[in-house]
Structure formats: structure tokens, C-alpha cells
Amino acid sequence: MGDNDDLDRTTLLALTEILSPEEGVVCSNVLPTPMKGIGDTMLFRILGHLRIQEEVEVRSPTRRAILTAMLLRSGHPIGMTELAELLWDDPPLSASANIRSHFTGLRRDLDRALPGLSHRIKTCRGAQSGYRIEVGPEEVDLPVFVRASRQGRTCWARGEVESAIAVLEDALALWRGPFGQDLPMTRWFDAHATGLRNGWLDTYEDLFTVLLSAGRTEMLSYRIETIIAEAPYRQRLWELLAAVYCVQGDSAGALNVLKRCRAVLVEDLGLDVPPSIEAIRGAALAWDGDEALRLVVRAA
């Protein structure tokens, strides 16, 4: 296992902790706007610049980091030593005193956003000493995103295509920018940023697959291109883009996409062309859009 595997495990653990294990997934009654009214209960947004109550910012970078860390570990205390290690790769001798001072300021920030909100921060003593914040699963955008992503995949697996598209679109709309862009890039936060970015890309790939399977290809190639610009080494995105051109009967366009993909994988990374890319190339050469569609749906 490499370092990236450890990063993903760290993030998956955090995501598991902030979701209630008893929550199920229901698709059959999903409305076209399944998260309507979500802003009424959303207190904290961390998918992008950290915000409280939609618009209120936490000005101190250290306080932003402390609040984000508690939200990622919602319901679980973070000890002083762990806080110091996630805030600084090499914690200063004054770390504990600095953290206590920042908690005082953070409580003021929370009350400025919403009177009484500081009471959500709890000081834990005993075997699990440290700090934690009390929030519900609908009050933070990250658990809402994770749950909606799961729900979208489940809806699609059940053949409820329109519901799947609506849920996945709403899940992605929660992102207002990259996670962690206003946080210190310590090892701990970098691990979460890497894993959450992968989750964001996975959800886009799911959405593109469902849209393609539903024949909703208008502007789809453009949407996929914009995500490829963000993540050019995601092989799945190239496959989906080539499949879109094949389904639209544009084999030349599909072959051009695969040529670009080969340049990225072979020339930039020194990798062999994977069999799945060659399979889609064969479908493009045969002008077989149905086969290209089967290939990308089967791989989902």
C-alpha cells in the first residue's frame, strides 16, 4: 500500500464518523429537488471557503482550521495533542496555550454568526478529554454531500434515472470551491483535501455516467472537459468523454479524445494504454455507439 491509500483511509474514516449509521437510502419518493429547503438548517459549510450561516466568515486561519477539524470529527472529541499535530506539522512549544486562546476567539466568532452557537462547542474531560462540536447531519454540508452521493448511486442501481440525476446534481451543487483552500496545508488537512477531492470527482463520474446512459448528452462533452481540466489523469473521465462522442455518432471526435488521453497517460506518466481505453477505441473505429455505452456503464 502506498501513501495515497493511507490518505484515502483517513478521509473515509472521517466521512464514516459524520454519517449516522442507521440512516437508510430511499429513492422511490425523491422529488426533482430532493434537497429543497436545505439552507434552513445548514449551519456550517466547509466544501469551499468555510462559512457559518451562509455568509459569516471566520477570519483567523487557525480558528478556521480548528472549527473545520471539529466538524470533520463531529461528535468525537479531539485532544490537545492531536489538535496541535493537525494544526502544525511541527507544533511550537506554545501550542496548547495558543489553541486555548483560539478557542476563546472561536466562541466569539460563533456567537457573532448566531447568538448562542458557541454552546455547541463542548469541553470533554476524562478518558476522552479534548474538544468537540455538537452538530446534526443536516447542519454541515459535507455529510449531506456524502449521503446524497450514496443516494444517487443507489437510485441509479434501482433504475430510477431521473431521481439519480437530480440527487447527484444537488450533491455537487453543495461544493463552492476546493476543500481546504483557506486552511493550513498540514499533513492532516492535506489527507482530507485529497480524499474529498476524490469523492467530488467520483460523484461527477457517477453523474456523467447516468446522464450518458439516459441519452442526455447535450453539453455533456463540455461538462466533462471542464472536469478533465481539473483532473487530467482521471482515466474514467477520458473514457466517458470518448463514449459521448461515440454515442453522438462522432467517431473522429472520440478518436481525437483517445489520442489526447494517450498523450497524458503514456507521455506524461509513462503508463501503458489500459485495455478499457483500447476497447472504447475499438468501438469508435467500428462506429458502434451502443458498444461504447455498454463499456462505460459496465465499468461504473
Side-chain angles (χ1 to χ4, degrees):
M1 292 284 190
D3 292 342
N4 288 337
D5 296 311
D6 294 333
L7 298 184
D8 287 342
R9 280 198 297 271
T10 300
T11 304
L12 288 173
L13 175 60
L15 297 184
T16 300
E17 289 174 343
I18 59 180
L19 288 171
S20 301
E22 69 273 10
E23 288 182 297
V25 176
V26 179
C27 297
S28 57
N29 294 321
V30 172
L31 299 174
T33 53
M35 289 191 283
K36 184 178 180 181
I38 194 173
D40 297 337
T41 58
M42 188 77 70
L43 286 177
F44 301 100
R45 295 185 179 272
I46 62 176
L47 300 177
H49 290 291
L50 176 65
R51 293 289 185 273
I52 308 170
Q53 286 285 89
E54 297 290 343
E55 299 298 332
V56 179
E57 299 182 31
V58 177
R59 297 187 180 93
S60 164
T62 304
R63 293 175 201 168
R64 287 197 298 265
I66 290 172
L67 179 55
T68 301
M70 288 194 297
L71 291 170
L72 287 170
R73 295 281 300 275
S74 176
H76 298 267
I78 305 179
M80 190 67 74
T81 300
E82 185 180 3
L83 269 173
E85 291 175 349
L86 66 87
L87 290 172
W88 300 281
D89 285 334
D90 186 15
L93 294 176
S94 61
S96 295
N98 289 346
I99 290 171
R100 290 189 183 95
S101 175
H102 280 296
F103 264 102
T104 299
L106 178 59
R107 286 187 169 96
R108 287 197 300 267
D109 292 335
L110 294 177
D111 284 336
R112 177 169 57 89
L114 183 66
L117 190 57
S118 64
H119 296 306
R120 298 290 192 98
I121 296 179
K122 304 297 181 182
T123 302
C124 305
R125 307 192 186 282
Q128 289 190 319
S129 62
Y131 298 90
R132 65 183 176 88
I133 189 166
E134 293 182 345
V135 289
E138 298 296 332
E139 294 179 322
V140 186
D141 56 0
L142 176 54
V144 175
F145 166 75
V146 174
R147 187 169 58 254
S149 296
R150 290 177 177 173
Q151 183 181 1
R153 285 189 288 272
T154 301
C155 289
W156 184 45
R158 294 177 178 177
E160 300 173 11
V161 174
E162 293 304 317
S163 292
I165 292 171
V167 173
L168 293 171
E169 292 276 21
D170 280 347
L172 291 164
L174 290 167
W175 286 75
R176 296 161 296 104
F179 170 83
Q181 58 186 327
D182 53 358
L183 298 174
M185 273 297 97
T186 59
R187 288 186 294 269
W188 195 87
F189 281 114
D190 186 58
H192 283 275
T194 300
L196 290 174
R197 174 179 166 82
N198 286 337
W200 175 72
L201 291 168
D202 288 343
T203 303
Y204 260 115
E205 290 173 356
D206 290 339
L207 173 62
F208 295 152
T209 303
V210 180
L211 287 169
L212 182 58
S213 70
R216 292 171 55 171
T217 59
E218 183 179 359
M219 296 295 292
L220 185 53
S221 61
Y222 171 76
R223 294 187 69 179
I224 298 174
E225 288 277 16
T226 63
I227 305 303
I228 286 178
E230 298 282 337
Y233 300 133
R234 295 276 294 204
Q235 173 191 325
R236 174 73 176 164
L237 291 172
W238 291 104
E239 294 172 2
L240 286 164
L241 182 58
V244 170
Y245 281 104
C246 285
V247 168
Q248 292 176 331
D250 185 358
S251 288
L255 292 171
N256 181 59
V257 167
L258 296 172
K259 181 180 179 180
R260 291 165 54 203
C261 174
R262 180 184 180 89
V264 169
L265 297 182
V266 178
E267 297 174 17
D268 288 3
L269 300 180
L271 301 174
D272 294 332
V273 177
S276 57
I277 293 292
E278 291 293 355
I280 293 181
R281 183 174 182 273
L285 290 170
W287 296 83
D288 194 341
D290 290 340
E291 175 62 14
L293 178 60
R294 280 193 294 272
L295 288 169
V296 293
V297 169
R298 187 170 60 201

